[in-house]
Amino acid sequence: MSKYLRIDEIVESISKTHKFDIDILKFLNTSDIYSGKIININYLPLSQLKGQAKKTIKKNDILFSEIRPQNKRFAYVDFDETYDFVVSTKLMVLRNINPLVDNKYFYYFLTNDHMLSVLQTRAENRICSFPQITFDLLSDYKVRVPDINEQKRISSLLSSLDKKIELNNQINAELESMAKTLYDYWFVQFDFPDENGKPYKSSGGKMVYNSVLKREIPEGWQDKKLSDIANITMGQSPNGGSYNENGDGVIFFQGSTDFGWLFPSIRQFTNQPIRLAKKGDILLSVRAPVGDMNIANNDCCIGRGLAAMNSKESFDVFLFYVMKYFKTIFERRNSEGTTFGSITKNDLRSLQLSYPSPSILKKYEAIVSNYNKMIFEKSLETEKLTKLRDFLIPMLMNGQVTIKE
């Protein structure tokens, strides 16, 4: 039989300060976690730690950002070695204090879309400069707590779905890495296969200095601007009053906040579309983070945070990895102190690249198209699994659906 417990009867908010007895610590800020995972770790000596770097963590803790709950800045600590981690004071560290509540069950309750929406509303109703949720605002919310065995069955099912999603993401990351490596090998190092199947430049292929690119490129290659090889549409946001979530009009993507692994998530529509992208177009973030990409899996309207592009010569796979290469350029410049907060239409159109012969492009497309096909299939499967998981969570949590032993 189920009962209801307040959140502060299930977890406590931990604020234990790290001893700072290690020369280098792993620092986690709110931006370093997302949707259940730690996506970045900052290795910092004590002298470079930020003032808010104070809290310790343990295995099975839940890290939950106090700022804008719907941004999904939360993570589950699923590893043992935590002694050298320190986290921001802007992250709540929630630790289980109730042996009758399965920690993963509570984690799925806390982080499902409905609960995040509830917490976002509470945060927005708080008088402060930005939407913030504190443990005090969280603590009185009641959680349906069934028998511990049922909790474990629920968390096991949801964890299985998450593991399959994570495996798909790992496979996709490896496939994309292979395609990027091949792009670098052929089009940056110029070791594409020559007529004898040997690496062109390394085997003595003729190189010619190009005054526009200010470097040597293979004989017969050209310098081109991005606008020479791609149709580019810059986004423009429609009237805010036209936005809706009930399917009225055209799918609308505002910016990279709508991006998923490969395809964007449909969140809203507009009945006053201005700039349109076609199914299959590359969607490029033109605002920070500049260079992030997704593929439009539907005809859609794009806001001013995005540009849409496709190849003029049907070499869309090549164009996709051209833009992946340019993203590394943007990131390198950022690391050197030249911040790219956005990229303009003229900036985008004027990007310069060395352009190979059609025969080389066809060979690259033939190889990488197979990688992309597998990436597309895994991404579509992940999209379905994510929808299934998000559909099941509230029904399992409120008892509408049960899992038999």
Side-chain angles (χ1 to χ4, degrees):
M1 184 174 177
S2 299
K3 57 184 176 181
Y4 286 84
L5 296 175
R6 287 167 49 111
I7 284 178
D8 60 6
E9 295 177 298
I10 299 172
V11 295
E12 61 181 345
S13 180
I14 302 297
S15 296
K16 185 177 179 181
T17 301
H18 200 284
K19 293 181 180 178
F20 300 109
D21 54 354
I22 306 169
D23 291 337
I24 295 178
L25 286 168
K26 299 170 184 174
F27 172 57
L28 298 179
N29 210 337
T30 54
S31 59
D32 298 317
I33 63 175
Y34 178 72
S35 196
K37 296 294 180 183
I38 295 171
I39 59 174
N40 181 59
I41 297 175
N42 304 285
Y43 294 80
L44 297 175
L46 294 181
S47 60
Q48 293 182 22
L49 283 176
K50 299 180 179 180
Q52 72 266 33
K54 292 182 179 179
K55 295 183 179 180
T56 58
I57 59 174
K58 288 185 179 180
K59 185 178 181 180
N60 296 319
D61 284 346
I62 299 167
L63 308 182
F64 196 92
S65 174
E66 295 182 351
I67 303 166
R68 299 182 177 88
Q70 282 190 324
N71 286 355
K72 296 190 174 183
R73 297 295 176 176
F74 58 80
Y76 191 92
V77 181
D78 58 0
F79 50 90
D80 292 303
E81 299 297 326
T82 59
Y83 69 95
D84 56 351
F85 275 83
V86 60
V87 305
S88 170
T89 53
K90 294 298 182 184
L91 288 171
M92 281 188 274
V93 178
L94 304 178
R95 189 167 298 166
N96 192 308
I97 57 172
N98 194 324
L100 297 180
V101 179
D102 178 70
N103 205 46
K104 268 295 183 78
Y105 173 85
F106 173 72
Y107 165 77
Y108 283 114
F109 169 85
L110 180 67
T111 60
N112 76 79
D113 286 344
H114 170 72
M115 187 61 184
L116 292 177
S117 179
V118 169
L119 296 179
Q120 181 72 19
T121 300
R122 287 194 173 193
E124 289 172 351
N125 289 337
R126 184 172 179 264
I127 300 174
C128 59
S129 56
F130 50 82
Q132 183 178 14
I133 190 80
T134 63
F135 187 70
D136 287 342
L137 290 176
L138 186 74
S139 61
D140 66 341
Y141 201 92
K142 291 193 174 181
V143 184
R144 175 183 170 270
V145 180
D147 174 81
I148 186 68
N149 292 321
E150 183 181 343
Q151 293 177 54
K152 289 182 181 294
R153 288 195 296 271
I154 290 172
S155 62
S156 177
L157 171 63
L158 297 175
S159 292
S160 295
L161 291 172
D162 275 341
K163 286 177 182 177
K164 177 57 178 171
I165 291 168
E166 181 63 20
L167 177 61
N168 283 352
N169 289 342
Q170 289 173 1
I171 292 171
N172 279 353
E174 186 61 33
L175 289 167
E176 185 177 296
S177 176
M178 290 165 62
K180 287 168 68 177
T181 298
L182 192 66
Y183 177 91
D184 182 74
Y185 194 58
W186 285 24
F187 304 117
V188 180
Q189 300 179 45
F190 304 126
D191 270 333
F192 55 90
D194 63 15
E195 63 272 11
N196 299 313
K198 295 182 178 180
Y200 181 85
K201 186 177 180 180
S202 298
S203 300
K206 186 175 181 181
M207 303 291 290
V208 178
Y209 183 77
N210 182 283
S211 59
V212 175
L213 299 173
K214 295 181 174 56
R215 65 176 300 191
E216 289 188 337
I217 62 174
E219 185 178 38
W221 286 35
Q222 306 172 59
D223 61 85
K224 289 199 175 185
K225 295 178 181 179
L226 187 63
S227 58
D228 295 328
I229 70 168
N231 299 304
I232 303 170
T233 302
M234 302 299 289
Q236 185 175 340
S237 299
N239 186 297
S242 71
Y243 301 173
N244 68 90
E245 298 178 1
N246 56 18
D248 180 18
V250 178
I251 296 166
F252 174 52
F253 298 127
Q254 178 74 46
S256 61
T257 52
D258 294 314
F259 283 2
W261 172 265
L262 185 63
F263 306 116
S265 300
I266 299 174
R267 307 182 200 278
Q268 58 187 341
F269 299 77
T270 175
N271 52 29
Q272 296 178 20
I274 300 176
R275 299 285 169 80
L276 298 173
K278 296 179 181 178
K279 182 178 180 179
D281 279 358
I282 297 168
L283 302 180
L284 176 79
S285 172
V286 294
R287 294 185 170 188
V290 174
D292 279 2
M293 288 189 292
N294 263 199
I295 302 294
N297 55 351
N298 297 278
D299 292 349
C300 56
C301 170
I302 55 172
R304 57 185 179 179
L306 298 175
M309 60 181 68
N310 55 65
S311 171
K312 289 184 176 180
E313 298 180 333
S314 299
F315 295 124
D316 285 305
V317 173
F318 172 73
L319 178 62
F320 186 82
Y321 288 100
V322 164
M323 299 314 299
K324 285 282 185 184
Y325 171 72
F326 278 127
K327 183 182 180 183
T328 64
I329 302 298
F330 302 149
E331 290 172 342
R332 189 181 308 146
R333 290 178 181 176
N334 281 341
S335 68
E336 294 169 353
T338 306
T339 303
F340 270 76
S342 62
I343 187 167
T344 68
K345 178 180 179 180
N346 288 338
D347 290 337
L348 192 59
R349 289 174 59 86
S350 62
L351 290 172
Q352 297 277 356
L353 69 149
S354 55
Y355 198 71
S357 66
S359 62
I360 299 298
L361 285 171
K362 287 176 182 176
K363 286 180 182 178
Y364 182 78
E365 291 273 324
I367 296 170
V368 179
S369 289
N370 290 324
Y371 299 162
N372 272 19
K373 181 181 178 183
M374 289 186 278
I375 290 173
F376 272 54
E377 289 171 351
K378 290 295 180 185
S379 295
L380 288 171
E381 182 183 39
T382 293
E383 191 174 55
K384 291 177 182 177
L385 289 171
T386 302
K387 287 180 179 178
L388 174 61
R389 180 200 62 195
D390 293 346
F391 172 75
L392 285 174
I393 288 176
M395 299 181 74
L396 290 166
M397 293 297 166
N398 64 26
Q400 286 179 275
V401 174
T402 57
I403 302 172
K404 293 184 180 179
E405 296 185 46

